[in-house]
Amino acid sequence: MDGRIAFRARSAVLVVLAAPWLCSGIASAEDSKEPAPAQDESTGEPNLVPPVLEEYIKADYPEEALAAGIEAAVLAEIDVDESGLVTDVRVKEPAGQGFDEAAVAAMSRFVFRPALLGQTPIAATVLYRYTFFLSEPSTASTGQAQAEPAAAHLLGRVETMESAPLPGAKVSVVRLSGQGEMPTAGCTGEPPPFSLTAQGAFEAAKLCPGTYSVDVVADGYKTYSTVEELNDGETREVLYRLELESSIYEAVVRGRKPPREVTRREISRREITRIPGTGGDALRAVQNMPGMARAAGISGALIVRGSSPGDSRYFFDELTTPLLYHFGGLTSIINSDLLERIDFFPGNYDVRYSGATGGIVEVTPRAPATDRFHAYLDLDLWDAGALVETPIGEHFSVAVSGRRSYIDLLLNAMVPDSGGGFSFVVAPRYYDYQLIADYHPSKKNNVRLFCYGSSDKLVFVTGEDVGENPNFSGRFNFGVQFHQLQLRYDHRFSKGVTNSLNVGSGIWLTDASFGPQMTLDWTTVPIMGRNELEIDVKKHATVRVGFDVEAYWNRYTFRAPDIFAVEGESFGDVTGKEDLIETTAKRWELRPGWYAQLELRPIEPLRLIAGVRVDYYTVINELGLDPRLVARWEIVPGTTLKGGLGLFHQYPGDSVETLGDFGNPNLELVSAVHYSLGAEQRLWENIEVGVEGFYKDLSNLVVSSQALVKGQPERYSNEGTGKVYGLEFLIKHRPTDRFFGWISYTLMRSKRVDHPGDAERLFDFDQTHILTIVASAVLGRGWEAGLRFRLASGNPDTPVVGSVYDADADIYMPVYGRVNSERLPMFHQLDLRVDKNWKLKHLKVVVYVDVQNIYNQKNPEGYDYQYDYSHRVYFRGLPLVPSLGLKLEY
């Protein structure tokens, strides 16, 4: 088979024909040449460099044509995008008899080195002639003796994903089958394993024609395996690129569309599984981003730019997920090794998302492996997990993962029943599971099934009073679980028109009780859907239109004291003698939304994104209309200015606040106006810095109310207002084969006014200074080490200034001072992670140590008061916490 290529850059006015070159089922010989200069030395104009074929796919020979001994050639136009992927194939000179379909199927899977205009990748179109020929002429049909085959040669280079040579790699070439039984003059069956030159090059010369297995191994990289079929007398030149362990090849190759938000912070899988202090957990890594306040203790709360944890939303593959973490942040509810990426939008996100005045976290699962069977077992001090993934045929792949904690076994052994103290009935335990099935029949179609679930359970009994309160003792129970199924279908109608459909449903269960006073039993059945159509209009505009819907069937039972507290208030004055509210009901909640967005690119460096979103909330009969505008302008290469302005609405609090018997069904939507302005600067190839100022104007915040409305207690109202403002700084070294890291600093202030006329106060989680330093380096010989240092202002605190004795309840009741008028001391902590891996023949062994709070800093997290509130002491956060893990990977 051979091909002849001509090049036509879409961005050029003239058609530029490149000199044709031979592609005999190989990566082009152009790979081995020095790259063309970025500009013409005589004119100073940027050079136009054609795309280069890097990954050739052999077509299936049509069976009828093969039986009939027919050869043919198919001429086609191939559209190649800026990342080197084929987006469309159009046959120009058909051959019929099944050749056209076979050629198109193969060419659609080609991968190119993208065309360049100067140093900028651009889209291009190439002419390619795919030639089908019979590799062995039939001696019966010709009546002639078959010629003796000549030796073949395999020449190549090995590089990283960043196109750097890998001279330390080892290459082995093993012959799988020969070409007939005829001897070949001057050839060897297979060469011994060999190393590369300093430029990462290798040569396997004088090979007998046939099929060879090629394996490339290098420390810190995934083993690269492929099969090369060498024909009679062929010299094949190849380029192999190795991906880092725990990196995501598809994310690198396919690239990402330019940002449609002012700020999107993406975390690669190598970063999220290597950040010290996170235990290799993906979603805990998000807490290290600029604008993210530190949550107290081991809390899993995400506190984004001075907003409450409930003011941000979380999506798995574009559909809502009910929770992110087990037991308040110990670990997330999904296996990090199944994730392609995590996108974090701290504010001014686009109209695809709604229902949050804070930020957005979008978690995208990856497709299962398509090369071979993979499996691993992962054990640490908290839990054990396993993952299995494999291709099934050419177009289908599947991955299954599960994890179960054994904290309950440890605690039950270490905390015996102490009679008057407390004992566990069910010690803390959790499990989770995930199933991903991916069907990819063609470049234009992809179907993904995503099934996942989680369960947490804790039950213990106590014979003592809780918080010195005799009314709160006995049995304490907490249980939460969910199971969710999602189906996604992506289809490309043509080069510029794509559609994505995503639907899902499941069941969410919560069961909790706190002594004899408070019980909660809540069941939710979600039904969710999203569809988005994207149309590229030439190269200067893109239109996106879509709708999403969330429907929730709820059944709930509440029993709780008639007290109401929101952010800034305390439950500390509960005596156990309050009137109880009991309610049991069922209800539907429907939240349909529509959005449209126009992205304009009047000139190449400027992007203007304007959108509008409309959402309706049936429970409170409220309509939210949200216009949003974002602009990004690369004023010179490497320097980008950005800004945004948008309106964002959110459902008023949790569902509890709008329950008829327990809350206020007449609440209105919470709203926020986001303003942001910033700049990004690329200093060197892998180092970039950014600064961004932001301001949020909050209104209609839900606060407690003592008013009566038509003789009934209002309980909650929308009288609260607030403002958040600050600056974020980030300097980041993008992940390479040896190092990644960043330094982020946030200077911020978040304030609230609860009721008209009240004094302005600090938000519960206001943190003026937040500094995070992360660094991880590959040391060689299988070693990798990293550090994380965090420093943050202590959270505001409301002091107790006295107490009153309640004789009926036999308890001292606190008297509080001004809300959040004190602040806890500064928090700081250093974490360390060390990984060591060994590569055996078919097994990879990884041992890691992840140590939190390595110098055992006793950080105050709050106050513990004496029974009569006459004295207080700090209660401290976690001490030095080591975690040792073992991972066996096949």
Side-chain angles (χ1 to χ4, degrees):
M1 303 180 186
D2 70 1
R4 297 184 180 274
I5 297 181
F7 165 71
R8 184 175 74 240
R10 298 192 192 105
S11 60
V13 176
L14 301 178
V15 175
V16 181
L17 295 180
W21 63 87
L22 190 64
C23 296
S24 303
I26 61 172
S28 170
E30 292 292 322
D31 291 343
S32 62
K33 297 181 179 179
E34 292 295 324
Q39 63 182 24
D40 189 297
E41 295 181 358
S42 60
T43 65
E45 295 294 324
N47 271 335
L48 201 56
V49 181
V52 176
L53 182 63
E54 291 190 333
E55 186 175 332
Y56 174 87
I57 302 298
K58 181 180 178 180
D60 295 328
Y61 211 106
E63 293 183 2
E64 294 184 3
L66 182 63
I70 301 174
E71 297 181 343
V74 178
L75 181 66
E77 282 188 341
I78 304 177
D79 290 338
V80 182
D81 66 14
E82 295 88 343
S83 63
L85 289 182
V86 174
T87 59
D88 195 19
V89 178
R90 298 177 298 277
V91 175
K92 305 298 291 184
E93 296 180 5
Q97 298 185 347
F99 287 112
D100 303 338
E101 292 80 2
V104 169
M107 289 185 283
S108 296
R109 296 165 60 196
F110 283 2
V111 176
F112 290 80
R113 182 184 300 171
L116 297 176
L117 183 59
Q119 294 182 340
T120 303
I122 61 173
T125 299
V126 298
L127 283 174
Y128 192 96
R129 187 179 300 277
Y130 205 112
T131 302
F132 293 81
F133 60 87
L134 301 173
S135 57
E136 294 184 88
S138 172
T139 56
S141 61
T142 61
Q144 299 176 352
Q146 186 170 347
E148 180 180 290
H153 307 274
L154 181 65
L155 312 177
R157 288 186 299 123
V158 179
E159 296 181 350
T160 68
M161 287 299 178
E162 291 79 25
S163 300
L166 267 177
K170 305 290 185 183
V171 180
S172 75
V173 180
V174 178
R175 193 168 192 247
L176 300 178
S177 63
Q179 194 172 27
E181 300 298 331
M182 299 169 297
T184 301
C187 77
T188 58
E190 61 184 54
F194 47 85
S195 301
L196 307 182
T197 68
Q199 291 74 38
F202 68 88
E203 178 179 0
K206 298 181 179 180
L207 299 177
C208 297
T211 302
Y212 289 81
S213 170
V214 182
D215 294 303
V216 186
V217 179
D219 282 345
Y221 293 84
K222 288 188 176 181
T223 299
Y224 183 91
S225 300
T226 188
V227 174
E228 301 287 357
E229 184 176 345
L230 301 178
N231 295 317
D232 179 12
E234 176 182 355
T235 297
R236 175 171 298 187
E237 298 191 19
V238 294
L239 172 65
Y240 300 140
R241 284 202 171 114
L242 270 59
E243 55 175 319
L244 286 165
E245 287 287 356
S246 301
S247 69
I248 303 149
Y249 177 69
E250 285 197 307
V252 176
V253 173
R254 294 181 179 175
R256 301 296 311 281
K257 293 185 178 180
R260 299 201 295 262
E261 298 80 13
V262 178
T263 298
R264 176 183 65 202
R265 297 192 171 104
E266 180 183 340
I267 309 175
S268 72
R269 185 157 29 118
R270 179 175 179 232
E271 293 172 298
I272 62 183
T273 57
R274 291 294 188 271
I275 294 177
T278 65
D281 189 84
L283 293 173
R284 291 180 65 196
V286 176
Q287 300 170 356
N288 297 284
M289 293 289 96
M292 187 73 75
R294 188 193 73 87
I298 60 170
S299 168
L302 297 184
I303 306 163
V304 183
R305 285 185 177 175
S307 294
S308 296
D311 295 339
S312 296
R313 296 195 67 190
Y314 320 112
F315 297 86
F316 276 11
D317 208 11
E318 300 187 345
L319 296 184
T320 301
T321 186
L323 65 128
L324 291 181
Y325 300 100
H326 292 295
F327 288 116
L330 185 62
T331 186
S332 63
I333 53 89
I334 191 168
N335 188 332
S336 299
D337 289 306
L338 286 177
L339 302 185
E340 179 178 301
R341 67 180 185 275
I342 299 175
D343 289 326
F344 169 50
F345 310 103
N348 261 321
Y349 51 87
D350 73 23
V351 294
R352 297 181 64 250
Y353 306 99
S354 69
T357 56
I360 296 291
V361 176
E362 170 71 61
V363 181
T364 303
R366 65 174 175 85
T370 58
D371 56 343
R372 63 174 177 84
F373 175 83
H374 295 262
Y376 74 65
L377 176 66
D378 192 0
L379 306 170
D380 64 23
L381 293 182
W382 309 109
D383 55 40
L387 181 146
V388 175
E389 56 182 321
T390 183
I392 302 176
E394 185 178 357
H395 303 297
F396 190 79
S397 57
V398 64
V400 180
S401 176
R403 174 173 47 185
R404 208 277 193 188
S405 70
Y406 31 75
I407 304 174
D408 50 344
L409 304 178
L410 298 176
L411 286 180
N412 281 326
M414 294 186 299
V415 186
D417 186 354
S418 58
F422 70 90
S423 62
F424 288 104
V425 176
V426 177
R429 71 107 179 100
Y430 60 83
Y431 69 79
D432 59 64
Y433 65 89
Q434 302 87 38
L435 166 67
I436 301 178
D438 194 75
Y439 178 56
H440 37 273
S442 68
K443 282 285 187 179
K444 291 188 175 182
N445 296 278
N446 196 84
V447 180
R448 176 185 296 165
L449 177 70
F450 183 30
C451 178
Y452 67 114
S454 166
S455 175
D456 292 60
K457 189 70 174 178
L458 167 65
V459 179
F460 67 92
V461 296
T462 177
E464 296 181 349
D465 305 335
V466 178
E468 306 299 334
N469 190 331
N471 301 291
F472 290 93
S473 61
R475 183 184 178 94
F476 298 86
N477 169 76
F478 172 75
V480 59
Q481 66 174 302
F482 77 92
H483 309 276
Q484 192 154 305
L485 181 68
Q486 299 178 194
L487 184 65
R488 177 180 182 131
Y489 173 49
D490 294 297
H491 176 69
R492 178 186 289 127
F493 292 99
S494 63
K495 180 171 57 177
V497 182
T498 58
N499 191 83
S500 177
L501 173 66
N502 204 339
V503 295
S505 186
I507 186 168
W508 306 346
L509 304 168
T510 302
D511 176 22
S513 63
F514 186 68
Q517 299 294 318
M518 300 183 184
T519 60
L520 166 65
D521 185 3
W522 193 301
T523 300
T524 298
V525 177
I527 302 173
M528 299 171 287
R530 172 188 290 269
N531 190 83
E532 179 176 294
L533 179 67
E534 179 177 306
I535 304 173
D536 279 322
V537 184
K538 302 291 184 181
K539 66 173 184 176
H540 295 300
T542 300
V543 177
R544 299 177 185 92
V545 293
F547 71 87
D548 52 51
V549 61
E550 297 178 0
Y552 300 97
W553 179 82
N554 297 285
R555 182 185 63 199
Y556 52 85
T557 298
F558 278 110
R559 186 173 187 266
D562 190 7
I563 57 172
F564 308 96
V566 291
E567 187 271 328
E569 300 178 352
S570 173
F571 280 103
D573 54 354
V574 179
T575 68
K577 300 297 184 179
E578 290 78 16
D579 293 334
L580 295 178
I581 294 179
E582 297 186 56
T583 181
T584 299
K586 301 175 183 179
R587 77 174 183 185
W588 276 96
E589 299 179 28
L590 184 63
R591 305 177 189 177
W594 301 264
Y595 61 90
Q597 182 172 269
L598 175 62
E599 179 180 327
L600 296 175
R601 301 177 291 274
I603 56 176
E604 185 61 31
L606 178 62
R607 304 172 67 85
L608 300 172
I609 303 102
V612 64
R613 182 177 181 95
V614 180
D615 293 281
Y616 183 69
Y617 299 81
T618 59
V619 171
I620 58 175
N621 293 317
E622 284 277 319
L623 185 73
L625 178 62
D626 296 348
R628 299 169 193 173
L629 176 66
V630 167
R632 295 180 61 89
W633 181 24
E634 189 175 13
I635 53 177
V636 295
T639 303
T640 300
L641 298 180
K642 57 184 182 178
L645 171 64
L647 179 60
F648 301 82
H649 283 98
Q650 176 182 316
Y651 192 78
D654 298 325
S655 296
V656 176
E657 279 86 344
T658 59
L659 292 179
D661 296 329
F662 202 82
N664 180 3
N666 298 314
L667 288 175
E668 299 176 355
L669 291 174
V670 177
S671 65
V673 181
H674 289 203
Y675 307 84
S676 56
L677 183 65
E680 298 171 355
Q681 176 66 54
R682 186 174 66 250
L683 298 181
W684 293 279
E685 180 180 1
N686 293 311
I687 299 180
E688 57 189 32
V689 298
V691 60
E692 183 171 346
F694 60 88
Y695 182 90
K696 291 196 294 188
D697 186 10
L698 309 173
S699 59
N700 273 15
L701 298 179
V702 176
V703 295
S704 62
S705 173
Q706 303 299 321
L708 295 176
V709 178
K710 297 181 180 180
Q712 298 296 323
E714 186 178 40
R715 299 195 174 96
Y716 300 102
S717 70
N718 289 106
E719 294 183 305
T721 59
K723 60 183 177 183
V724 185
Y725 50 91
L727 280 172
E728 296 172 354
F729 301 89
L730 176 67
I731 178 168
K732 181 173 184 179
H733 190 291
R734 300 182 66 85
T736 64
D737 55 346
R738 290 292 177 184
F739 182 82
F740 76 83
W742 67 79
I743 301 173
S744 70
Y745 171 69
T746 302
L747 176 67
M748 180 174 57
R749 181 53 53 91
S750 180
K751 298 181 177 181
R752 303 289 190 273
V753 175
D754 293 326
H755 303 90
D758 287 356
E760 193 174 58
R761 65 169 178 84
L762 293 177
F763 172 55
D764 278 356
F765 298 99
D766 176 76
Q767 294 172 18
T768 308
H769 305 281
I770 308 168
L771 172 68
T772 303
I773 302 173
V774 173
S776 181
V778 176
L779 306 178
R781 298 184 179 272
W783 289 94
E784 184 171 354
L787 291 170
R788 178 182 68 168
F789 176 74
R790 292 185 295 164
L791 182 145
S793 299
N795 287 329
D797 184 77
T798 301
V800 175
V801 296
S803 64
V804 176
Y805 179 67
D806 186 329
D808 293 334
D810 189 25
I811 189 172
Y812 282 88
M813 300 299 298
V815 176
Y816 291 98
R818 190 159 55 91
V819 174
N820 290 342
S821 57
E822 293 186 354
R823 187 183 289 275
L824 295 171
M826 185 78 74
F827 168 94
H828 57 93
Q829 179 174 305
L830 179 66
D831 307 320
L832 168 70
R833 181 184 176 98
V834 178
D835 293 75
K836 168 62 177 173
N837 70 76
W838 295 267
K839 292 183 179 179
L840 309 178
K841 184 175 182 181
H842 298 295
L843 187 68
K844 178 182 176 183
V845 180
V846 181
V847 175
Y848 59 88
V849 178
D850 198 318
V851 183
Q852 297 186 51
N853 197 6
I854 194 169
Y855 53 77
N856 198 28
Q857 171 64 20
K858 296 177 173 58
N859 289 299
E861 297 286 3
Y863 293 104
D864 189 12
Y865 286 87
Q866 196 170 346
Y867 73 97
D868 61 354
Y869 297 93
S870 61
H871 182 68
R872 69 180 185 182
V873 294
Y874 290 126
F875 66 82
R876 307 287 181 170
L878 293 175
L880 183 149
V881 180
S883 178
L884 177 66
L886 170 67
K887 189 173 183 180
L888 306 175
E889 183 175 354
Y890 172 76

